[in-house]
Amino acid sequence: MRKITLLLCIICITFFAKAQAPAQQWDEGTVYHTTGEVFSGLVSWAPPIKGQYPDGDQILFKNTGSPDIFPIPYFKIKAFTMGRDSFVVSTNINLKNNPILLVEVDGPVNLYAAKIFKQGFPLLIGSGGGGGHFGVGMEVGTAIGRGVKTSYYFGKTPNTVSKLDKKNFIEAMSTILADKPEVVAKIKDKTFRYGDMDDLLKYYYTGKLPVNNEQQ
């Protein structure tokens, strides 16, 4: 009885982990290979789960109209685009576990986002019933701590970056977004703080304040 219950738990956890992984999505894009070659077609990448790729992160590429998929490891890529997003690959030793960076701001000093998928812990909720001879009722509920974790880095190149944190936020972001003084003013008066990166970047690109800041 205990062995069967344990087996069911393992099956449910395995199924849950696979179901919660980032879904594969294809977008038109271009890959800039370290050999200097440039490939245009369909590109797929999602923040990896920790330990998903033993040899490091990778992207998937295929020619438009072709079913053949080609995995390309990060160390063979300089940069790539996927839809409207641009990515670069960093050789910085501090980013060896997540070397693929999303370019958030392209300027004299760039802002990059490093993303990794947190699988979290599966939460199994008993159904309280069950049938047959086993009397086991079980269903998979949700995950604790699941989602994409984003860390920000800044620098003139992806290989010479520093991590953005609460201590350097005002100075660094004021430099990165210096081409828009009205945005810098909102950083310095603390309308936008370290935890408001999504809203800050939206304001930088659109000029629209979040609803909760419009009266400020």
Side-chain angles (χ1 to χ4, degrees):
M1 175 65 180
R2 290 182 178 178
K3 290 182 178 180
I4 293 173
T5 302
L6 179 60
L7 178 61
L8 288 172
C9 287
I10 293 172
I11 292 172
C12 287
I13 291 171
T14 302
F15 173 79
F16 182 84
K18 291 181 178 179
Q20 297 302 322
Q24 187 179 97
Q25 177 180 339
W26 293 93
D27 288 290
E28 292 185 0
T30 302
V31 179
Y32 300 87
H33 202 279
T34 53
T35 61
E37 295 176 281
V38 179
F39 304 95
S40 294
L42 296 176
V43 177
S44 179
W45 178 81
I49 299 171
K50 184 178 180 181
Q52 182 177 2
Y53 302 116
D55 297 325
D57 204 354
Q58 65 177 27
I59 68 171
L60 300 178
F61 175 84
K62 64 180 180 179
N63 292 306
T64 304
S66 172
D68 298 328
I69 298 175
F70 301 95
I72 307 177
Y74 76 93
F75 53 83
K76 291 187 178 181
I77 305 167
K78 285 185 177 180
F80 67 95
T81 63
M82 192 174 73
R84 294 185 297 176
D85 293 328
S86 296
F87 298 84
V88 292
V89 177
S90 175
T91 60
N92 191 304
I93 188 66
N94 294 321
L95 291 167
K96 63 181 181 179
N97 293 324
N98 49 347
I100 294 179
L101 302 175
L102 170 65
V103 181
E104 293 280 15
V105 178
D106 184 10
V109 179
N110 303 310
L111 178 68
Y112 305 101
K115 298 177 181 288
I116 190 166
F117 188 83
K118 299 185 298 179
Q119 186 172 325
F121 299 95
L123 178 63
L124 300 180
I125 303 175
S127 64
H133 299 289
F134 303 118
V136 178
M138 185 180 299
E139 62 182 65
V140 176
T142 184
I144 300 174
R146 178 173 60 87
V148 176
K149 177 183 178 181
T150 303
S151 301
Y152 292 94
Y153 295 82
F154 63 96
K156 293 184 177 181
T157 75
N159 303 325
T160 57
V161 294
S162 300
K163 188 172 184 179
L164 187 71
D165 57 30
K166 291 181 180 180
K167 293 181 179 179
N168 61 28
F169 173 76
I170 294 177
E171 180 181 358
M173 293 306 298
S174 296
T175 300
I176 294 166
L177 308 182
D179 59 317
K180 294 190 178 181
E182 68 278 13
V183 178
V184 173
K186 293 294 185 182
I187 295 171
K188 292 184 175 180
D189 70 11
K190 298 186 179 180
T191 297
F192 294 105
R193 301 172 185 269
Y194 176 73
D196 302 322
M197 286 298 294
D198 287 344
D199 289 338
L200 172 57
L201 292 174
K202 181 178 180 180
Y203 179 55
Y204 174 72
Y205 282 114
T206 69
K208 296 180 180 180
L209 282 170
V211 174
N212 59 334
N213 286 324
E214 285 183 347
Q215 302 303 320
Q216 295 185 18

